[in-house]
Amino acid sequence: MNRSCLYAGQVMHHRMKPSRHRFIYRVTSMLLDLDELNQLHGRLRLFSRNRFNLFSFHDRDHGDGSERPLADQVRSILHQHDLDLGKGRIELLCYPRILGYVFNPLSVFYCYDEQDSLRAILYEVSNTFNQKHNYLIPVDQEQGPTIRQSCDKAFYVSPFISMATQYHFRMQPPHNRIAVCIRQTDEAGPVLHATFTGQRKPLSDGSLLSTFLKYPLMTLKVIAGIHWEAFRIWRKKVPLQPRPSPPATRTTLVNHSGEHTHETV
């Protein structure tokens, strides 16, 4: 039985200050078991790996941008931080390429061990300057079904939000439903609340075709929506924040208390 599936739902962003701004978009994300990619490529007519199709997944869209299998890259990052999954699986929540185009502001890797315990979450953040950064946070095994994690912001994303902020993640791992909730705060309180919530759907040619007919330009709409909402915020006279140099290293490791312990290449 394939673990890979679709999640149909919506993205919501609500900025609290310095000027309130809110939007909601309907989207469909893919959850991909990275060890199933070749099987999906062979089974589905409308989905391909590293090749053009109506829907496709390219390893180079994530990680270090190379053709090296993404599962190997993620396991290498985990190994550097003494997180050994054995033969456990890695599931990636992301947007697929549609007709060859994709932009993923946030991609989430759920990393499980051989006992099917969620051991770590890797948050891959991308900005519109063609830069990426990872936050790797081990999962506290004493937590319940909802995973709560925090870290300081280390990577420039929005031109309207200061670097001196913190992320607070509230994650409902993939089951019949999924939820990714991010609250961003500064020393004075909440700045932004962003969520993706979705309902599980099977990954089949039928569901892919249905998704395309409902949202034919979905991945283009993601990047267009980012720029449109930025324009709307700019019109509200929200001041622009300076863009610092990106972190010298690709991955920031965060401990359970939300402190950055060190970074790696």
Side-chain angles (χ1 to χ4, degrees):
M1 177 181 176
N2 293 120
R3 295 183 181 273
S4 301
C5 64
L6 300 176
Y7 280 101
Q10 63 182 25
V11 167
M12 184 279 293
H13 279 221
H14 185 187
R15 291 176 183 261
M16 284 76 169
K17 60 182 182 181
S19 180
R20 288 189 175 270
H21 185 78
R22 189 173 188 269
F23 63 83
I24 297 176
Y25 290 109
R26 291 197 172 276
V27 297
T28 296
S29 292
M30 273 189 176
L31 183 78
L32 297 169
D33 184 326
L34 297 185
D35 292 328
E36 293 179 353
L37 286 171
N38 287 338
Q39 180 184 350
L40 294 171
H41 174 93
R43 178 172 65 85
L44 298 171
R45 290 176 293 176
L46 300 182
F47 174 86
S48 294
R49 181 184 190 181
N50 296 329
R51 211 176 68 188
F52 181 83
N53 203 332
L54 185 62
F55 290 81
S56 59
F57 176 85
H58 289 235
D59 290 78
R60 68 175 182 271
D61 290 336
H62 302 273
D64 61 13
S66 72
E67 298 291 346
R68 181 186 177 195
L70 190 55
D72 293 346
Q73 293 188 44
V74 176
R75 288 191 169 96
S76 177
I77 294 171
L78 295 171
H79 180 72
Q80 291 175 35
H81 300 294
D82 300 320
L83 289 167
D84 184 11
L85 303 181
K87 296 181 180 179
R89 72 187 187 279
I90 299 169
E91 296 179 344
L92 168 60
L93 181 70
C94 67
Y95 297 131
R97 287 194 184 204
I98 299 179
L99 293 174
Y101 182 79
V102 71
F103 178 72
N104 274 287
L106 174 66
S107 304
V108 182
F109 296 84
Y110 301 89
C111 307
Y112 296 84
D113 63 19
E114 293 179 346
Q115 287 71 47
D116 209 33
S117 294
L118 183 60
R119 292 287 307 282
I121 299 178
L122 181 72
Y123 302 90
E124 182 184 72
V125 181
S126 300
N127 63 24
T128 55
F129 302 96
N130 200 30
Q131 299 168 333
K132 290 185 176 68
H133 190 70
N134 300 326
Y135 299 93
L136 174 61
I137 312 181
V139 170
D140 184 350
Q141 298 301 303
E142 295 182 0
Q143 292 194 54
T146 299
I147 307 299
R148 299 177 185 273
Q149 299 178 318
S150 299
C151 67
D152 292 336
K153 180 179 179 179
F155 175 66
Y156 182 88
V157 180
S158 170
F160 302 103
I161 298 181
S162 167
M163 290 293 294
T165 58
Q166 297 77 42
Y167 294 124
H168 307 275
F169 302 98
R170 190 174 77 250
M171 310 291 288
Q172 187 179 88
H175 291 294
N176 290 333
R177 292 187 56 81
I178 196 169
V180 176
C181 304
I182 305 170
R183 183 168 55 92
Q184 192 168 358
T185 63
D186 62 15
E187 59 182 9
V191 176
L192 170 71
H193 187 62
T195 65
F196 168 67
T197 55
Q199 185 73 38
R200 185 185 181 100
K201 296 173 59 179
L203 180 51
S204 65
D205 284 318
S207 61
L208 290 174
L209 181 59
S210 175
T211 296
F212 179 75
L213 293 176
K214 286 181 180 178
Y215 314 110
L217 299 176
M218 187 187 73
T219 52
L220 186 61
K221 183 173 131 182
V222 170
I223 192 67
I226 288 172
H227 288 94
W228 170 244
E229 299 300 339
F231 174 71
R232 292 178 63 202
I233 294 170
W234 174 78
R235 288 190 61 188
K236 294 179 180 180
K237 302 188 184 302
V238 177
L240 294 172
Q241 300 293 322
R243 177 163 64 99
S245 299
T249 52
R250 188 175 297 123
T251 301
T252 296
L253 176 68
V254 185
N255 64 22
H256 290 157
S257 63
E259 297 177 346
H260 293 194
T261 57
H262 58 278
E263 299 182 341
T264 62
V265 174

